[in-house]
């Protein structure tokens, strides 16, 4: 399953880009030895969650194993109603009620136009960004618009590309002379296995 957590630390929204937010999630996950590749549930005007996340065909869970959705379509699909609260931080601890996190995104991962703190570059109260909350299962990604002069957490989602690749091992049915050095070495042997 793909794991999901909300950071225990709040951040001002001027981290610079969705990629910088991804870095925060990756560093936070690495600090707890969670392994894998992590991205922030953050959209900008040019880079939405729906467009940059891998759409995993299996379950999404919070860090304690609590079930959120059967697959990407259920997690970020048209209804986007998840099965439980996203209330765990990177340590697995339960966050306080109504902990908010920056998203700039609707529940389906598309950008909330004009609601991204100027694409994550502003801390001015003249601008706002869509924010989600740990205590909703329907409006979990776009609960309200938060002014950019505050600090909020980030929601981090493990990416399917971070799963270990399955490897296959086999023995050929044909025998070969063991001296590949004279015919190209390891590259020749690799070619026989292709």
């Amino acid at each position: 399953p793909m794991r999901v957590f909300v950071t225990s630390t709040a951040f001002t929204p001027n981290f610079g880009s969705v990629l910088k937010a991804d870095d925060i999630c990756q560093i936070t996950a690495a600090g707890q030895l969670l392994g894998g590749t992590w991205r922030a549930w953050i959209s900008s005007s040019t880079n939405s969650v729906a467009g940059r996340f891998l759409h995993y065909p299996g379950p999404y869970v919070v860090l304690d194993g609590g079930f959120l959705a059967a697959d990407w379509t259920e997690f970020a699909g048209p209804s986007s109603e998840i099965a439980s609260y996203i209330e765990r931080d990177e340590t697995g601890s339960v966050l306080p009620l109504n902990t908010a996190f920056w998203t700039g995104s609707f529940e389906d991962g598309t950008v909330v136009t004009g609601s991204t703190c100027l694409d994550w570059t502003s801390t001015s109260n003249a601008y706002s960004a869509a924010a989600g909350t740990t205590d909703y299962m329907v409006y979990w990604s776009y609960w309200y618009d938060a002014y950019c002069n505050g600090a909020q957490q980030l929601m981090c989602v493990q990416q399917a590309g971070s799963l270990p690749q399955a490897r296959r091992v086999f023995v050929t049915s044909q025998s070969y002379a063991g001296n590949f050095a004279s015919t190209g070495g390891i590259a020749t042997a690799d070619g026989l296995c292709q």
Side-chain angles (χ1 to χ4, degrees):
M2 292 299 95
R3 298 169 292 165
V4 179
F5 68 85
V6 174
T7 61
S8 59
T9 303
F11 302 91
T12 56
N14 61 337
F15 32 81
S17 70
V18 295
L19 299 178
K20 297 290 185 184
D22 289 347
D23 289 345
I24 292 169
C25 283
Q26 189 65 47
I27 290 166
T28 303
Q32 295 299 315
L33 305 175
L34 296 178
T37 300
W38 296 80
R39 290 190 178 155
W41 184 273
I42 291 276
S43 291
S44 71
S45 63
T46 59
N47 205 350
S48 72
V49 166
R52 67 192 186 87
F53 271 43
L54 296 168
H55 298 193
Y56 186 62
Y60 287 80
V61 298
V62 289
L63 285 188
D64 70 343
F67 180 79
L68 293 172
D71 55 23
W72 173 265
T73 302
E74 195 173 287
F75 185 63
S79 70
S80 301
E81 183 173 347
I82 55 177
S84 63
Y85 300 129
I86 303 171
E87 62 182 1
R88 301 283 174 163
D89 69 13
E90 68 274 11
T91 69
S93 298
V94 176
L95 291 159
L97 289 174
N98 295 317
T99 297
F101 47 89
W102 300 114
T103 69
S105 308
F106 290 108
E107 285 72 19
D108 66 0
T110 58
V111 65
V112 178
T113 303
S115 192
T116 62
C117 291
L118 292 179
D119 284 342
W120 312 111
T121 61
S122 177
T123 57
S124 168
N125 66 354
Y127 302 102
S128 64
T133 182
T134 57
D135 296 334
Y136 277 74
M137 292 186 291
V138 178
Y139 300 111
W140 56 269
S141 183
Y142 187 19
W143 181 40
Y144 73 110
D145 286 301
Y147 289 113
C148 300
N149 63 336
Q152 310 228 18
Q153 273 87 331
L154 293 173
M155 184 178 106
C156 304
V157 181
Q158 185 181 17
Q159 296 301 289
S162 61
L163 293 176
Q165 295 289 324
R167 304 285 187 218
R168 295 183 191 172
V169 178
F170 64 91
V171 176
T172 62
S173 60
Q174 185 174 348
S175 298
Y176 298 96
N179 184 5
F180 293 110
S182 63
T183 61
I186 293 175
T188 300
D190 286 346
L192 295 170
C193 290
Q194 299 300 318

